[in-house]
Amino acid sequence: DDIYGARVSTDGTVLDESGIPITTEPDYQQLPDVVFDGEQFIIAWFDKGDELNLKAAEVDLSGNVTDTYTIADQFGMQSYPSLAHGPEDQVLVIYQGFATEYNNIGYNANRTWGAFLGLYIGVDDLYSIIPEEIALCQNYPNPFDRLTVISYEIKVNSDVNLKVLDINGKEVALILNQKQLPGNYEVEFNAEGLPAGIYYYKLTVGEYSQTKKMILLR
């Protein structure tokens, strides 16, 4: 039980009559799902031969498999993947996976999990859970010299604004201002051109906002 694909033109012509071998690994692979972003196809499937994990492959417009990687390798079996292409380079994968314990609650049963894939770069957040709250994390490193990473979590589809303020509350940089899906995110902030000192970064998600302090060294 392998996974094959075939491209079909808009007039119904099968372009790959012999099929494209997506995976022919030992044991069996089943339950494939596919999504297309205009430049490539993403295929996900349950792979018994890889310790019951969830695998994925990328196929270009010429029918070539360009990358294969693991989406989820948590304890137990991960199966029934469903893919959806989101904004920019995101693909959301929803699947069934076994949960022993989460947030100090014991389940020992199958639950619905999710993972975000960054197209062209493989797995972005490995078997990530949709956050239960909005949270802004402390930047790292801090203090920093020019480059630092800011992480945050959102629990619903929201308009997200992330900006940097100086010590007087004046905006000095807009990091992002866009609608985003629920998930865990991190962005790199480049402070090139800003003088050393204390700055604040402010996350606004809908009506919610939170601010944290960071220190820029030179």
Side-chain angles (χ1 to χ4, degrees), residues 144 194-199 214-218:
F144 69 101
L194 293 178
I198 296 175
Y199 292 88
M214 60 183 177
I215 301 174
L216 173 61
L217 302 178
R218 292 298 188 195

Side-chain angles (χ1 to χ4, degrees), residues 12 24 27 106 110 113 149 216:
T24 57
D27 220 315
N110 286 321
W113 300 69
V149 174
L216 173 61

Side-chain angles (χ1 to χ4, degrees), residues 47 133 169 209:
D47 197 315
E133 61 183 4
S209 66

Side-chain angles (χ1 to χ4, degrees), residues 134-136 151-154 160-163 176 201-205 208-212:
I134 301 170
L136 178 64
S151 303
Y152 60 93
E153 302 176 353
I154 58 176
V160 179
N161 179 281
L162 182 61
K163 59 187 176 182
L176 65 88
Y201 55 101
K202 181 178 181 181
L203 174 71
T204 301
V205 181
Y208 171 92
S209 66
Q210 185 177 357
T211 302
K212 288 186 177 292

Side-chain angles (χ1 to χ4, degrees), residues 143-199:
F144 69 101
D145 177 9
R146 193 171 70 85
L147 295 177
T148 190
V149 174
I150 299 172
S151 303
Y152 60 93
E153 302 176 353
I154 58 176
K155 64 178 181 178
V156 294
N157 190 18
S158 309
D159 292 317
V160 179
N161 179 281
L162 182 61
K163 59 187 176 182
V164 178
L165 311 173
D166 65 16
I167 197 169
N168 297 314
K170 178 182 177 181
E171 180 179 327
V172 295
L174 177 62
I175 299 177
L176 65 88
N177 185 30
Q178 64 187 52
K179 186 175 289 293
Q180 291 186 312
L181 296 171
N184 306 289
Y185 295 88
E186 64 177 33
V187 295
E188 185 177 69
F189 173 58
N190 189 335
E192 185 73 32
L194 293 178
I198 296 175
Y199 292 88

